[in-house]
Amino acid sequence: MRRCVIIGGADISRYDRIRTHLRADDFYIYCDSGLKHRQGLGITPDLVVGDFDSHENPELAVETITLPCEKDDTDTAFAVKEAVKRGFQAFLLVGVLGGRLDHTWGNVSLLLLLDAQRKQAAALDDFSEMQIVSDKPVQVDSRYAYFSLLSIAGTASGITVKNAKYPLSHAEITCEYQYGISNEVLPGMSAEVSVEHGRLLLVKILP
């Protein structure tokens, strides 16, 4: 399954860490100011999209979709929808977290959008890797220093966490009370997270 990597304009300081998550056969979409990361990532775009209000159009010899400045979708949201149209089933979002909270929150919601369409999706920044937990259990291996569970789409219930310092059994997390922060995988084990109703944002903290 070929994966689509979408690169936004949020700051990246640990390019070496990001590069370890990239694959030779990934399809790369750069979104507007995400183009500033070309040199740091060492990746040539397969597609460029944007309204170019925050980065000039470099006029590269690759497919480019120029968007209007006034539109409902952000450049990153457009890129996600365009990749879905092209048939991609797996996604990695890079350079989409940090800086302006409104953009960050909007980009996190793209993980919900992709999960609703049964796509594999994760977002990666200098410190963490994020994904949605919904209808299938998710494993968290011991290379992650901590992991957190956040309710971002209404109440999540029937939450079970196994092989962790703070286990849960058929628990509930609401948007008003986020107590699932900074859990730890038991040494030498993989934690398992599952939810019966609703969806959770799983944030895995890199050491």
Side-chain angles (χ1 to χ4, degrees):
M1 182 190 304
R2 193 179 186 192
R3 184 179 63 174
C4 180
V5 177
I6 296 175
I7 302 161
D11 288 343
I12 297 173
S13 60
R14 306 179 73 173
Y15 287 109
D16 55 339
R17 170 169 283 175
I18 301 297
R19 286 195 297 266
T20 64
H21 289 76
L22 304 180
R23 306 170 186 165
D25 65 340
D26 283 333
F27 183 90
Y28 293 96
I29 303 178
Y30 281 80
C31 303
D32 203 334
S33 60
L35 288 160
K36 69 185 180 184
H37 298 308
R38 278 189 299 152
Q39 182 175 356
L41 293 176
I43 296 296
T44 300
D46 295 294
L47 172 64
V48 175
V49 304
D51 52 25
F52 302 107
D53 64 345
S54 56
H55 192 285
E56 66 177 10
N57 187 341
E59 305 292 345
L60 301 174
V62 300
E63 182 183 2
T64 299
I65 300 176
T66 303
L67 304 173
C69 290
E70 295 183 358
K71 56 189 183 301
D72 291 333
D73 288 335
T74 63
D75 297 333
T76 305
F78 178 90
V80 166
K81 292 179 179 180
E82 180 65 21
V84 169
K85 288 181 183 177
R86 297 183 183 212
F88 288 97
Q89 299 295 316
F91 292 78
L92 178 64
L93 309 184
V94 175
V96 301
L97 306 171
R100 282 180 53 176
L101 179 60
D102 53 348
H103 278 283
T104 293
W105 192 249
N107 290 331
V108 168
S109 73
L110 293 173
L111 296 178
L112 291 171
L113 174 73
L114 290 167
D115 177 74
Q117 299 184 39
R118 300 194 176 278
K119 313 296 185 186
Q120 296 178 16
L124 183 67
D125 65 10
D126 292 328
F127 310 101
S128 62
E129 182 179 337
M130 302 182 184
Q131 67 187 98
I132 299 299
V133 182
S134 55
D135 59 341
K136 296 179 181 177
V138 174
Q139 304 293 320
V140 184
D141 64 54
S142 57
R143 64 189 163 127
Y144 296 99
Y146 302 96
F147 69 95
S148 297
L149 296 171
L150 298 169
S151 178
I152 62 169
T155 298
S157 60
I159 301 166
T160 297
V161 178
K162 301 177 181 178
N163 302 327
K165 184 176 181 179
Y166 306 108
L168 291 174
S169 179
H170 301 287
E172 178 178 281
I173 298 178
T174 68
C175 293
E176 293 81 12
Y177 183 35
Q178 306 279 7
Y179 64 88
I181 296 174
S182 292
N183 207 337
E184 300 176 37
V185 181
L186 292 178
M189 305 186 76
S190 289
E192 182 180 279
V193 178
S194 62
V195 58
E196 294 178 3
H197 305 287
R199 295 184 288 178
L200 291 168
L201 177 67
L202 169 63
V203 184
K204 297 177 283 188
I205 307 302
L206 296 161

